[in-house]
Amino acid sequence: MSSLLSRSVKEAVARGIRRRYLAERAFRTVGLMALLIGLGFLAFFFYTLIGNGYTALEQTRIELTVNLDAAIIDPDGARAPETLRSADYQRLAREALGAVFPEVTSRSDLRALYGLLSPGAGLELQQLVVTNPAVIGETRTMWLLADDDVDVIVKGPALRDLPESDRRMDDRQLGWLTALEAQGKVDLKFNRYFFTRGASSDPELAGIWGATVGSFFMLLVTLGLSFPLGVATAIYLEEFAPRNRWTDLIEVNINNLAAVPSIVFGLLGLALFINVFGLPRSAPLVGGLVLSLMTLPVIIIASRAAITAVPPSIREAALGVGASKMQVVLHHVLPLAMPGMLTGTIIGMARALGESAPLLMIGMVAFIVDVPDSPLSPATALPVQVYLWADSPERAFVERTSAAIVVLLLFLLVMNATAILLRKRFERRY
């Protein structure tokens, strides 16, 4: 009887162990599947971005022989800078293209033919002449910028097979483009404008440099305000503030502010910094102030956690050898907590870099062509530039939108990697 009882007990225990092992394996399988699904979505995300964006690194150009006619560029021969800048360089580029197709004579056909060239072609000739006036009167073979419609067709050959009503280039222009390609006069060159210019209504002339500089000034203001204020607030709350209802209320509000939607800070910045203090709209200074308000709670919470992580024995030892409270904080607690503070700050800055909603509220959605030269100059930011391009009907802006997102993600990756390196660099063992 006892043997039968012990056997049934062993079988029950074995069944329980098998069920537990099966449950553990099922849990591991579900976890692995969730991880693989997440990685799959991430891979698809990057594949889509890179697949759509890498073509923005190249731009279609047309090889033309341009006569830098002195009668058009500098009719009086004085070579005054104002005269050289105001000359009709687009006419020179069009005449060079017209010389390739002398049979095109009607006004409508010439207008369609000249549409193969970008307005940037004249700007490139202007830059050449203004930089080196000695080239006036010469004949030069140059690769001039093609229109964005040409660029789309060259990069997407399947678009050629579409009906004329479904593409922006008509059959005449497509025939001329095919003839230029047969002569080897059409090629893809590195798109330097994407990295050196600001916003433009012409996709082939649009770049991210203006938005990048605007983001830099904005983050500079954000870092200069939020880091010292956040660290000082965390030190006071953890080391000096008395424990009462007021400090509890402050702590609760700081935690609540960290979860407030970012657009609320944009509304606050619009009401306070622009309407009350009269600061200029679209300025990186205002954007930095708004992002500082948004980033402060994150930095305070991260800094308080880093200070709390410092062992009490460090403070007690310093007080035991005669250090004052301020010396304990500055010489012992702060250096040990600094890695965590820097990590929280950089992560907060990375979040600020990717924000667009609060910037839209303070006018940084404006169309800004020039590259800003100070925090008070009108500017936009990388996330806002992505928003503007994504909202544009021009097909050529699709690749630039994806490329700008990739650049923004690279900045975020660099900032997060910097946070990890700083933590490793300043981390101390105790």
Side-chain angles (χ1 to χ4, degrees):
M1 186 68 179
S2 60
S3 62
L4 291 175
L5 182 60
S6 61
R7 186 182 304 170
S8 62
V9 171
K10 290 179 180 179
E11 290 176 354
V13 171
R15 285 194 301 269
I17 292 175
R18 283 195 299 270
R19 284 196 301 268
R20 187 176 65 188
Y21 286 164
L22 286 174
E24 290 177 356
R25 282 196 293 269
F27 181 77
R28 288 198 298 267
T29 303
V30 172
L32 180 61
M33 289 178 59
L35 177 62
L36 293 177
I37 291 173
L39 290 176
F41 278 116
L42 184 63
F44 177 75
F45 171 72
F46 279 107
Y47 172 79
T48 304
L49 276 182
I50 297 174
N52 290 332
Y54 81 95
T55 54
L57 301 179
E58 293 182 318
Q59 182 65 38
T60 303
R61 290 181 174 269
I62 302 175
E63 185 184 34
L64 296 174
T65 301
V66 183
N67 177 23
L68 301 172
D69 191 356
I72 297 176
I73 299 175
D74 189 24
D76 56 4
R79 298 194 175 182
E82 295 79 6
T83 304
L84 298 183
R85 291 191 184 93
S86 61
D88 189 0
Y89 293 97
Q90 194 68 19
R91 174 183 171 185
L92 299 178
R94 290 172 176 174
E95 289 179 351
L97 181 59
V100 181
F101 300 98
E103 69 279 5
V104 180
T105 56
S106 69
R107 179 174 298 181
S108 62
D109 288 345
L110 285 173
R111 187 182 299 110
L113 177 63
Y114 297 157
L116 299 180
L117 285 174
S118 165
L123 296 177
E124 291 179 328
L125 294 177
Q126 179 195 55
Q127 184 179 7
L128 172 66
V129 173
V130 171
T131 304
N132 183 18
V135 301
I136 298 176
E138 296 181 0
T139 299
R140 290 203 169 195
T141 300
M142 302 177 61
W143 288 93
L144 297 181
L145 199 61
D147 189 70
D148 63 290
D149 295 333
V150 175
D151 186 62
V152 169
I153 291 291
V154 171
K155 293 177 180 177
L159 298 175
R160 299 170 186 255
D161 300 330
L162 295 175
E164 184 178 13
S165 59
D166 293 340
R167 46 181 160 82
R168 297 187 59 174
M169 287 184 64
D170 59 31
D171 290 338
R172 296 173 301 170
Q173 293 175 312
L174 192 58
W176 295 324
L177 176 60
T178 304
L180 289 170
E181 289 176 325
Q183 300 174 34
K185 293 183 177 294
V186 177
D187 198 5
L188 291 171
K189 304 291 184 180
F190 178 71
N191 186 11
R192 67 179 185 274
Y193 288 154
F194 181 74
F195 297 100
T196 59
R197 292 181 63 89
S200 174
S201 57
D202 298 306
E204 67 274 13
L205 296 175
I208 61 171
W209 181 240
T212 302
V213 175
S215 292
F216 170 76
F217 283 136
M218 195 169 56
L219 290 182
L220 199 63
V221 173
T222 303
L223 180 63
L225 290 175
S226 59
F227 180 68
L229 287 177
V231 171
T233 302
I235 291 175
Y236 174 76
L237 290 175
E238 287 296 325
E239 299 293 336
F240 297 101
R243 297 299 174 185
N244 52 38
R245 285 181 295 179
W246 291 110
T247 55
D248 292 340
L249 181 63
I250 292 173
E251 292 175 3
V252 169
N253 280 280
I254 289 174
N255 294 328
N256 289 336
L257 285 174
V260 170
S262 58
I263 195 169
V264 175
F265 292 100
L267 292 170
L268 176 62
L270 175 64
L272 182 63
F273 300 128
I274 294 178
N275 294 339
V276 176
F277 293 111
L279 295 177
R281 296 176 67 92
S282 302
L285 174 62
V286 180
L289 291 172
V290 171
L291 294 181
S292 296
L293 296 177
M294 188 187 70
T295 309
L296 261 176
V298 178
I299 296 178
I300 293 172
I301 293 172
S303 299
R304 292 187 65 190
I307 293 172
T308 305
V310 177
S313 57
I314 301 293
R315 299 176 177 83
E316 294 168 358
L319 292 172
V321 296
S324 65
K325 182 65 174 177
M326 185 63 70
Q327 289 174 328
V328 170
V329 172
L330 296 181
H331 298 167
H332 301 278
V333 176
L334 189 59
L336 293 176
M338 188 56 67
M341 293 178 175
L342 292 175
T343 301
T345 300
I346 295 178
I347 291 176
M349 297 293 293
R351 178 195 172 194
L353 176 62
E355 285 292 343
S356 60
L359 303 181
L360 299 179
M361 300 305 301
I362 60 172
M364 293 195 76
V365 71
F367 182 77
I368 307 297
V369 177
D370 298 326
V371 178
D373 54 6
S374 75
L376 293 175
S377 302
T380 187
L382 270 176
V384 179
Q385 189 68 72
V386 170
Y387 166 77
L388 292 173
W389 284 349
D391 195 47
S392 175
E394 296 281 350
R395 189 184 184 97
F397 275 122
V398 174
E399 61 181 16
R400 284 159 178 78
T401 300
S402 298
I405 293 174
V406 171
V407 172
L408 183 60
L409 289 176
L410 288 176
F411 279 138
L412 295 175
L413 182 63
V414 169
M415 294 180 72
N416 283 278
T418 303
I420 296 173
L421 292 176
L422 288 175
R423 188 178 185 89
K424 296 290 186 182
R425 171 67 178 82
F426 292 105
E427 191 172 23
R428 297 188 182 184
R429 300 294 181 183
Y430 42 80

